[in-house]
Amino acid sequence: MIPYGRQEISQADIDAVTEVLRSDFLTQGPVVPRFEQAVAKKVGAAHAVAVNSATSALHVAVAALDVGPGDVVWTSPVTFVASANCARYCGADVDFVDIDPETFNMCPKALREKLEATPEASRPKVVIPVHLCGMSTPAAEIAALGREFGFRIIEDASHTVGGAYKGQPVGSCAHSDITVFSFHPVKIVTTAEGGLALTNDPGLAQRMSLLRSHGVTRDPALMTHESDGPWYYQMVELGWNYRMTEMQAALGLSQLDRLGAFVARRNVLADSYDSLLSGLPVTAQARQAETLSAFHLYVVRLDLSQTAPHRTVFERLRDAGIGVNLHYIPVHLQPYYRGLGFGDGDFPEAERYYAEAISIPLYPGLIEADQDRVVASLREALVP
Ligand SMILES: *Cc1c(COP(=O)(O)O)cnc(C)c1O
């Protein structure tokens, strides 16, 4: 089976992790801060807070923006469930903004229309645009709406480490309060499990680092009263243990050296898919000017008027040893969200996308012969 995604681990990665295992610290040592600084420097953000997953990064981000019961958070329905769940962890309500059928990302026009149609008291406190497949949303447009309608922005850039928008790396937070990265093995660079939150706001950075470690501080400046002695620490708010280990950070730091090469390779493979697929009844994500995709995923939408049914195409590909996948089942159709009142027909573009989309294999180690096999299998699978 050719998988849809796969990590690439080098000898240097293995050596970096082994070195940490022989050192004094497996957690709370010097490598995590080094990794944080390296990522922040790479993307041009002032602060980075590394955590044990992007899900945790989204949670501390939403919490640091004071989201709680009575607040509303909006995101895209075409994303991994974590983009929405973070608001629920804080007791807030979730709603969705339908996608643009060509970019597969949250549609800024739909966002404006929904904001205008929503009474001021029910408007979102935070909007979480998701840069699907590695391609940035029109972040400047969404930021302008944020200023006009008074919401904060967390970019879910789990797919988009190494991507760029309007000449700036995604993660610079030029158009958001916080940006979140994932380092799950299928993503662009990996720490096994791991995530990171970037911000240019020192207050948010400090709050997120407190929240990732129980809300506990040893910094006298953050304490409510003078320290009892050298052993003293204070828990100043309710946090969690979301810390990244030293081994994870060492792997991430080593992988980061190859970020540019990974993204370049993914773009070469995506360009080949574009030309190999031309003439077939499928459409890829529309490329956007001023945007460099990190190409976490290559998704095709079937023209169902000319192809076999979606499910048949998917099954034929799996049977042919092509590890296709579907990103994503619209979040509002998950039983948990249906239980909150969402249902069929709420976000028609997302649902149409779900009925047509298939992610085909894309990862730096994919070779041209595999790619030819993927396309040959797809060509056969599409036949009605
Ligand atoms: C992978 C992913 C997450 C969650 O990442 P973890 O690191 O596995 O917690 C969140 N949002 C999106 C869009 C993702 O693809």
Side-chain angles (χ1 to χ4, degrees), residues 311-376:
R311 185 173 172 157
T312 306
V313 175
F314 196 98
E315 284 169 349
R316 284 176 180 168
L317 285 164
R318 282 272 177 95
D319 290 345
I322 312 299
V324 286
N325 224 306
L326 209 165
H327 301 92
Y328 291 93
I329 304 163
V331 178
H332 70 283
L333 299 182
Q334 294 290 353
Y336 172 81
Y337 283 95
R338 284 182 187 270
L340 296 175
F342 295 101
D344 298 305
D346 286 351
F347 303 99
E349 289 299 347
E351 292 167 34
R352 260 194 290 280
Y353 167 92
Y354 176 52
E356 300 172 358
I358 298 180
S359 308
I360 61 177
L362 181 63
Y363 50 92
L366 189 74
I367 56 171
E368 277 70 12
D370 291 338
Q371 211 177 13
D372 290 340
R373 209 184 115 201
V374 170
V375 174

Side-chain angles (χ1 to χ4, degrees), residues 54-63 67-68 73-75 80-94 126 128 154 156 180 240 337:
T55 304
S56 303
L58 286 162
H59 189 183
V60 294
V62 168
V67 168
V73 173
W74 289 2
T75 187
F80 186 57
V81 292
S83 315
N85 291 350
C86 57
R88 300 293 301 149
Y89 299 154
C90 296
D93 292 323
V94 171
V126 173
I128 307 181
I154 300 170
D156 184 343
V180 166
W240 307 279
Y337 283 95

Side-chain angles (χ1 to χ4, degrees), residues 19-80:
E19 194 183 320
V20 165
L21 286 168
R22 294 201 173 93
S23 76
D24 291 337
F25 296 98
L26 302 185
T27 185
Q28 295 175 286
V31 188
V32 168
R34 273 174 55 209
F35 178 52
E36 290 173 334
Q37 280 152 27
V39 177
K41 183 157 178 262
K42 190 131 222 154
V43 300
H47 308 277
V49 178
V51 286
N52 58 0
S53 71
T55 304
S56 303
L58 286 162
H59 189 183
V60 294
V62 168
L65 291 173
D66 282 322
V67 168
D71 292 327
V72 185
V73 173
W74 289 2
T75 187
S76 169
V78 176
T79 184
F80 186 57

Side-chain angles (χ1 to χ4, degrees), residues 136-169:
S136 179
T137 53
E141 261 179 80
I142 294 174
L145 289 173
R147 287 187 293 274
E148 187 179 339
F149 290 90
F151 57 79
R152 314 290 293 270
I153 297 170
I154 300 170
E155 296 172 73
D156 184 343
S158 291
H159 298 184
T160 313
V161 184
Y165 168 74
K166 285 189 189 285
Q168 276 171 309

Side-chain angles (χ1 to χ4, degrees), residues 65-381:
L65 291 173
D66 282 322
V67 168
D71 292 327
V72 185
V73 173
W74 289 2
T75 187
S76 169
V78 176
T79 184
F80 186 57
V81 292
S83 315
N85 291 350
C86 57
R88 300 293 301 149
Y89 299 154
C90 296
D93 292 323
V94 171
D95 202 351
F96 303 92
V97 179
D98 211 350
I99 62 163
D100 175 319
E102 292 185 354
T103 66
F104 315 161
N105 280 328
M106 177 189 285
C107 173
K109 196 163 153 275
L111 175 57
R112 170 176 283 284
E113 282 164 9
K114 190 172 173 116
L115 286 163
E116 284 170 350
T118 304
E120 202 166 331
S122 315
R123 283 187 189 144
K125 183 164 192 172
V126 173
V127 172
I128 307 181
V130 180
H131 306 318
L132 202 77
C133 305
M135 196 182 71
S136 179
T137 53
E141 261 179 80
I142 294 174
L145 289 173
R147 287 187 293 274
E148 187 179 339
F149 290 90
F151 57 79
R152 314 290 293 270
I153 297 170
I154 300 170
E155 296 172 73
D156 184 343
S158 291
H159 298 184
T160 313
V161 184
Y165 168 74
K166 285 189 189 285
Q168 276 171 309
V170 169
S172 70
C173 300
H175 308 287
S176 63
D177 297 285
I178 298 169
T179 302
V180 166
F181 285 168
S182 173
F183 305 123
H184 183 279
V186 294
K187 309 275 165 81
I188 311 290
V189 290
T190 190
T191 61
E193 297 285 357
L196 185 136
L198 295 145
T199 183
N200 292 320
D201 178 332
L204 287 177
Q206 187 176 71
R207 186 100 190 269
M208 291 192 289
S209 30
L210 263 181
L211 290 170
R212 87 170 143 190
S213 198
H214 310 283
V216 160
T217 184
R218 289 178 186 278
D219 179 355
L222 300 179
M223 293 183 186
T224 54
H225 59 264
E226 209 172 303
S227 156
D228 291 354
W231 64 85
Y232 196 61
Y233 59 84
Q234 268 191 357
M235 183 190 137
V236 292
E237 66 175 318
L238 185 63
W240 307 279
N241 180 354
Y242 284 167
R243 293 188 300 259
M244 175 179 274
T245 68
E246 293 284 284
M247 290 81 79
Q248 290 171 304
L251 178 55
L253 203 49
S254 178
Q255 288 251 312
L256 205 58
D257 285 341
R258 307 202 300 292
L259 174 61
F262 287 157
V263 170
R265 175 69 184 155
R266 286 174 175 278
N267 272 273
V268 166
L269 291 164
D271 289 346
S272 316
Y273 270 140
D274 283 353
S275 48
L276 292 167
L277 295 173
S278 71
L280 291 184
V282 297
T283 336
Q285 189 181 32
R287 306 270 189 126
Q288 299 301 297
E290 301 188 293
T291 302
L292 171 73
S293 178
F295 272 110
H296 164 50
L297 298 172
Y298 195 97
V299 171
V300 294
R301 288 185 72 160
L302 312 186
D303 175 354
L304 293 172
S305 69
Q306 296 186 58
T307 68
H310 182 239
R311 185 173 172 157
T312 306
V313 175
F314 196 98
E315 284 169 349
R316 284 176 180 168
L317 285 164
R318 282 272 177 95
D319 290 345
I322 312 299
V324 286
N325 224 306
L326 209 165
H327 301 92
Y328 291 93
I329 304 163
V331 178
H332 70 283
L333 299 182
Q334 294 290 353
Y336 172 81
Y337 283 95
R338 284 182 187 270
L340 296 175
F342 295 101
D344 298 305
D346 286 351
F347 303 99
E349 289 299 347
E351 292 167 34
R352 260 194 290 280
Y353 167 92
Y354 176 52
E356 300 172 358
I358 298 180
S359 308
I360 61 177
L362 181 63
Y363 50 92
L366 189 74
I367 56 171
E368 277 70 12
D370 291 338
Q371 211 177 13
D372 290 340
R373 209 184 115 201
V374 170
V375 174
S377 305
L378 179 62
R379 187 183 297 276
E380 276 176 44

